Amino acid sequence: MSETTTRPAPGAHLADPAALGLGAFALTTFVLSVVNAGIVPSTVEPVVFGLAFAYGGGAQLVAGIWEFAKGNTFGATAFCSYGAFWLSFWWLTGHTDLSGAGSDVNKGLGVYLLAWGIFTLYMTVASLRVSGAVLVVFILLTITYFLLAFGEFGNSSGLTKTGGYVGLLTAIAAGYASFAPVANFTFKRTVLPTFPLS
């Protein structure tokens, strides 16, 4: 009679990296959205650059690599991609000279944001099998990107500010999605539900 051996899931010995990735995304998105919403003047936007590089970019990339180790294709794709977004944002806004583009600079920024909106839209479809908490984040983030993109295309401060406010809602939703697994792990019970969909 042969014995069957149950193998542990890939990366079962690793902590859940989603809490880190979502926390990094939430905090960086919150700070940038405060600027986009016009709550603080745009002249202070450089305060986002360090966050975009170290936390939004670096921490999410690390979380994404851990998701690869755990065998989570969705988490790996999401965190590595948005980590790369924040790194590209840091480079674009802090190190790229767009003065030669003249009045066309808004078109370039609009395309940049639109491309991220399209990517986020198809990730939203995939998030339908993750959890309600993550789904809300992706729905709001998709809306945020499209508002900011069309705000650039139309040179509309109103759309950009609206995108900033939806971005704040996105940050709050991501903060919840980060806090829930941390609290649930720490208290060893479900303190905050994430509403699994799969």
Side-chain angles (χ1 to χ4, degrees):
M1 183 176 178
S2 61
E3 294 183 4
T4 57
T5 304
T6 303
R7 294 184 178 181
H13 62 291
L14 298 174
D16 183 3
L20 170 63
L22 286 162
F25 179 81
L27 194 152
T28 314
T29 301
F30 176 83
V31 176
L32 178 59
S33 295
V34 168
V35 177
N36 286 337
I39 297 170
V40 297
S42 59
T43 52
V44 304
E45 186 180 49
V47 303
V48 185
F49 297 165
L51 278 174
F53 178 77
Y55 200 37
Q60 279 197 92
L61 279 175
V62 169
I65 297 303
W66 282 343
E67 290 283 24
F68 274 116
K70 291 183 74 68
N72 183 351
T73 300
F74 177 86
T77 303
F79 292 133
C80 285
S81 295
Y82 292 111
F85 162 76
W86 284 115
L87 289 173
S88 73
F89 172 84
W90 165 75
W91 186 263
L92 175 65
T93 52
H95 301 83
T96 305
D97 182 8
L98 295 173
S99 59
S103 60
D104 291 331
V105 66
N106 295 100
K107 295 176 184 176
L109 294 173
V111 170
Y112 171 80
L113 292 164
L114 179 63
W116 279 104
I118 293 169
F119 170 77
T120 304
L121 181 60
Y122 85 65
M123 290 297 289
T124 301
V125 175
S127 73
L128 289 167
R129 298 290 292 170
V130 180
S131 71
V134 170
L135 176 61
V136 170
V137 173
F138 275 87
I139 290 172
L140 290 170
L141 182 58
T142 301
I143 296 169
T144 299
Y145 273 126
F146 283 125
L147 284 169
L148 294 175
F150 289 111
E152 291 292 344
F153 284 132
N155 199 18
S156 169
S157 61
L159 282 175
T160 298
K161 285 185 177 182
T162 304
Y165 280 108
V166 178
L168 287 172
L169 294 177
T170 305
I172 292 168
Y176 176 88
S178 170
F179 178 49
V182 173
N184 295 343
F185 176 82
T186 305
F187 287 93
K188 308 302 181 191
R189 59 186 175 85
T190 301
V191 178
L192 295 171
T194 57
F195 311 102
L197 298 174
S198 56

